[in-house]
Amino acid sequence: MALKTRLTELLDIEHPVMLAGMGGVSYHRLVAAVSEAGGIGTLGASTMAVDELPEEMAKVRAATSKPFGVDLLTALPGQVEAGIESVIDGGARIFVAGLGVPREVVDLLHSKNILVGSMCGKVRHAVSAVASGVDFVVAQGTEAGGHTGTVATLTLVPMVVDAVGHTVPVVAAGGLFDGRGLAASLALGADGVWIGTRFIATPEARAVKGYKEALLAVAEDGTVISRSYTGKTCRVVRNDWTNHFDEHPEELQPFPQQVLASTKAGANHLGAKDGTTVDVTREFMPCGQGAGAIDELIPAGDIVRQMVREAEETMGRIAAVRR
Ligand SMILES: Cc1cc2nc3c(=O)[nH]c(=O)nc-3n(C[C@H](O)[C@H](O)[C@H](O)COP(=O)(O)O)c2cc1C
């Protein structure tokens, strides 16, 4: 059982399955489980304090000798600079920039043998990321949980492949939750998948109390793109808080003030300790449309293996159509 792509070769991993660097969720247990299963785990460092990232990286290294990565949002001035030293010292194999390309750090990371990836919601983001020297791009469609754009995965991925796929591997993201999605991504020309929401519904994911249950209960139309938690467009579980701001957009503040506002109002605990009690009718619960297909918690390693097995079955089924 093996799906060899440019991504598995570049990252020296067994399966072309990447755990998204989800703030608040992708901590050491989940990251280590995905890497150990032959995919690659990525720490979501955007919610980590400066001293927390080195600790999390040490815990990943203690749990697995396989490669892993770190994802940092670069929207806040100084955040990348603060985290980059830890990324280098902590033994990461890849660094992923969540928002915007950290042009200034690409050369430094390369000199330390760390590969750089960039999240892209539009073709022009991918073109500019590649011009900045990144080693792979993640084409993330609007179906994705978390900060997201307006273009759907099925549309975005082949366009990004056409634009930059001859130069670097392209990874598909947004609304993918099983092996059919992996096979479809390969069919679109991608070299692998970057999965968020499916990995929240695992025993290893870190989450506030009620988040995983909300995700299991949500239907495919139960998420909404809202600016009510961060000030930026973010796909989350729809609840009373998001409904209120849909009706009162005049109360929204820009990023990052809305982060402070939602936190102060007790509706934003992303990054809080595992199992923190929250009011889920108001809480910030980033979640992709794929949650509609998720109805049980599954160990992260099983998800990786199951995805690859299903992708192979899917490709066999498609090949049989031609006979
Ligand atoms: C809880 C959560 C937190 C996220 N945090 C980040 C982040 O800090 N940085 C980032 O680049 N992407 C973040 N994302 C987006 C993911 O990296 C990924 O692109 C997305 O989850 C893929 O779509 P899916 O959820 O449908 O699998 C987050 C997504 C979720 C669900």
Side-chain angles (χ1 to χ4, degrees), residues 18 49 52 62 64 91 105 121 126 166 172 202 213 239 244 284 298:
M18 306 183 79
E52 204 176 3
T64 181
V105 297
H166 56 287
T202 58
E213 290 76 6
N239 59 19
H244 172 85
F284 182 25
I298 300 178

Side-chain angles (χ1 to χ4, degrees), residues 20-23 25 46 71 73 98 119 140 143-146 173-176 194-197 200 211 286-288:
M22 294 178 283
V25 174
S46 63
D71 176 295
L73 292 173
M119 302 295 299
Q140 186 206 269
E143 299 93 318
L176 306 169
W194 168 267
I195 307 286
T197 299
I200 303 175
Y211 186 178
C287 177

Side-chain angles (χ1 to χ4, degrees), residues 259-322:
V259 179
L260 303 176
S262 61
T263 305
K264 199 167 158 214
N268 184 346
H269 298 82
L270 202 67
K273 283 207 164 29
D274 204 25
T276 299
T277 301
V278 300
D279 175 359
V280 288
T281 66
R282 303 168 77 239
E283 181 60 27
F284 182 25
M285 295 182 287
C287 177
Q289 291 181 324
I294 301 171
D295 51 17
E296 59 176 336
L297 302 190
I298 300 178
D302 290 352
I303 292 176
V304 173
R305 289 181 285 268
Q306 199 171 308
M307 261 189 190
V308 173
R309 200 172 51 242
E310 280 176 8
E312 293 194 327
E313 283 165 13
T314 303
M315 291 189 289
R317 187 159 47 79
I318 294 168
V321 171
R322 289 186 57 233

Side-chain angles (χ1 to χ4, degrees), residues 176-198:
L176 306 169
F177 53 84
D178 68 5
R180 291 171 299 180
L182 170 53
S185 300
L186 298 176
L188 295 174
D191 298 279
V193 288
W194 168 267
I195 307 286
T197 299
R198 175 60 268 193

